[in-house]
Short mmCIF file of all heavy atoms in Angstrom, two decimals:
data_model
loop_
_atom_site.label_atom_id
_atom_site.label_comp_id
_atom_site.label_asym_id
_atom_site.label_seq_id
_atom_site.Cartn_x
_atom_site.Cartn_y
_atom_site.Cartn_z
N HIS A 180 -19.81 -4.24 -1.59
CA HIS A 180 -20.73 -3.38 -1.16
C HIS A 180 -20.91 -3.60 0.34
O HIS A 180 -21.26 -4.58 0.77
CB HIS A 180 -22.07 -3.44 -1.81
CG HIS A 180 -21.97 -3.35 -3.39
ND1 HIS A 180 -22.10 -2.13 -3.90
CD2 HIS A 180 -21.80 -4.29 -4.24
CE1 HIS A 180 -21.96 -2.28 -5.24
NE2 HIS A 180 -21.79 -3.53 -5.51
N LEU A 181 -20.60 -2.56 1.17
CA LEU A 181 -20.86 -2.64 2.58
C LEU A 181 -22.25 -1.97 2.93
O LEU A 181 -22.45 -0.91 2.54
CB LEU A 181 -19.80 -2.02 3.46
CG LEU A 181 -18.36 -2.55 3.26
CD1 LEU A 181 -17.41 -1.81 4.13
CD2 LEU A 181 -18.37 -4.05 3.58
N ARG A 182 -23.10 -2.76 3.63
CA ARG A 182 -24.40 -2.30 3.93
C ARG A 182 -24.36 -1.99 5.50
O ARG A 182 -24.35 -2.90 6.30
CB ARG A 182 -25.55 -3.34 3.66
CG ARG A 182 -25.53 -3.63 2.24
CD ARG A 182 -26.37 -2.69 1.47
NE ARG A 182 -26.68 -3.23 0.14
CZ ARG A 182 -26.30 -2.59 -0.94
NH1 ARG A 182 -25.56 -1.55 -0.93
NH2 ARG A 182 -26.59 -3.16 -2.16
N CYS A 183 -24.26 -0.76 5.81
CA CYS A 183 -24.04 -0.33 7.22
C CYS A 183 -25.25 0.24 7.96
O CYS A 183 -26.21 0.73 7.38
CB CYS A 183 -22.96 0.76 7.21
SG CYS A 183 -21.38 0.23 6.36
N GLY A 184 -25.19 -0.06 9.26
CA GLY A 184 -26.26 0.54 10.12
C GLY A 184 -26.04 1.98 10.29
O GLY A 184 -25.39 2.67 9.58
N PHE A 185 -26.79 2.51 11.28
CA PHE A 185 -26.78 3.98 11.69
C PHE A 185 -25.46 4.27 12.26
O PHE A 185 -25.04 3.71 13.33
CB PHE A 185 -27.99 4.22 12.58
CG PHE A 185 -28.16 5.71 12.87
CD1 PHE A 185 -28.94 6.52 11.98
CD2 PHE A 185 -27.68 6.27 13.98
CE1 PHE A 185 -29.15 7.83 12.23
CE2 PHE A 185 -27.96 7.62 14.31
CZ PHE A 185 -28.60 8.42 13.44
N PHE A 186 -24.77 5.19 11.67
CA PHE A 186 -23.35 5.57 12.24
C PHE A 186 -23.48 6.28 13.58
O PHE A 186 -24.29 7.30 13.70
CB PHE A 186 -22.69 6.57 11.29
CG PHE A 186 -22.32 5.98 9.95
CD1 PHE A 186 -22.86 4.83 9.38
CD2 PHE A 186 -21.36 6.65 9.22
CE1 PHE A 186 -22.40 4.36 8.17
CE2 PHE A 186 -20.86 6.15 7.95
CZ PHE A 186 -21.47 5.00 7.44
N ALA A 213 -29.78 -1.10 13.67
CA ALA A 213 -28.34 -1.41 13.84
C ALA A 213 -27.56 -0.10 14.03
O ALA A 213 -27.81 0.85 13.16
CB ALA A 213 -27.82 -2.20 12.72
N VAL A 215 -23.65 1.49 14.40
CA VAL A 215 -22.23 1.04 14.11
C VAL A 215 -21.29 2.22 14.16
O VAL A 215 -21.59 3.26 13.78
CB VAL A 215 -22.32 0.25 12.70
CG1 VAL A 215 -22.62 1.26 11.59
CG2 VAL A 215 -20.99 -0.45 12.47
N ILE A 220 -16.58 -0.05 10.50
CA ILE A 220 -16.78 -0.15 9.00
C ILE A 220 -15.52 -0.13 8.25
O ILE A 220 -15.24 -0.88 7.36
CB ILE A 220 -17.71 1.02 8.53
CG1 ILE A 220 -19.10 0.92 9.28
CG2 ILE A 220 -17.91 0.86 7.05
CD1 ILE A 220 -19.95 2.17 9.10
N GLN A 239 -21.81 -7.26 2.00
CA GLN A 239 -21.63 -7.62 3.44
C GLN A 239 -22.19 -6.47 4.34
O GLN A 239 -21.94 -5.34 4.21
CB GLN A 239 -20.14 -7.72 3.78
CG GLN A 239 -20.01 -8.12 5.25
CD GLN A 239 -18.52 -8.38 5.65
OE1 GLN A 239 -17.72 -8.75 4.76
NE2 GLN A 239 -18.25 -8.32 6.85
N ALA A 240 -23.11 -6.99 5.24
CA ALA A 240 -23.73 -6.09 6.21
C ALA A 240 -22.59 -5.74 7.31
O ALA A 240 -21.79 -6.60 7.54
CB ALA A 240 -24.90 -6.74 6.78
N VAL A 241 -22.77 -4.56 7.81
CA VAL A 241 -21.95 -4.22 8.94
C VAL A 241 -22.99 -3.55 10.02
O VAL A 241 -23.38 -2.48 9.87
CB VAL A 241 -20.85 -3.15 8.60
CG1 VAL A 241 -19.97 -2.83 9.78
CG2 VAL A 241 -20.01 -3.65 7.35
N HIS A 242 -23.33 -4.46 10.97
CA HIS A 242 -24.45 -4.12 11.81
C HIS A 242 -24.03 -3.52 13.18
O HIS A 242 -24.93 -3.18 14.00
CB HIS A 242 -25.27 -5.29 12.07
CG HIS A 242 -26.00 -5.77 10.93
ND1 HIS A 242 -26.13 -7.06 10.60
CD2 HIS A 242 -26.82 -5.11 10.01
CE1 HIS A 242 -26.98 -7.23 9.37
NE2 HIS A 242 -27.36 -5.90 9.10
N GLY A 243 -22.81 -3.49 13.55
CA GLY A 243 -22.44 -2.90 14.82
C GLY A 243 -22.70 -4.06 15.87
O GLY A 243 -23.07 -5.16 15.52
N LEU A 298 -36.11 4.17 6.42
CA LEU A 298 -35.92 3.37 7.56
C LEU A 298 -37.20 3.16 8.40
O LEU A 298 -37.38 2.16 8.94
CB LEU A 298 -34.83 4.02 8.46
CG LEU A 298 -33.37 3.93 7.99
CD1 LEU A 298 -32.38 4.76 8.91
CD2 LEU A 298 -32.87 2.50 7.89
N PHE A 302 -38.54 -0.73 6.53
CA PHE A 302 -37.23 -1.13 6.11
C PHE A 302 -36.79 -2.49 6.73
O PHE A 302 -36.98 -2.69 7.91
CB PHE A 302 -36.23 -0.10 6.50
CG PHE A 302 -34.71 -0.58 6.24
CD1 PHE A 302 -34.16 -0.51 5.06
CD2 PHE A 302 -33.91 -1.02 7.36
CE1 PHE A 302 -32.87 -0.90 4.83
CE2 PHE A 302 -32.64 -1.46 7.16
CZ PHE A 302 -32.06 -1.41 5.85
#
Side-chain angles (χ1 to χ4, degrees):
H180 300 271
L181 299 180
R182 302 278 193 242
C183 304
F185 188 81
F186 290 21
V215 65
I220 298 166
Q239 181 174 339
V241 186
H242 289 135
L298 289 172
F302 173 77

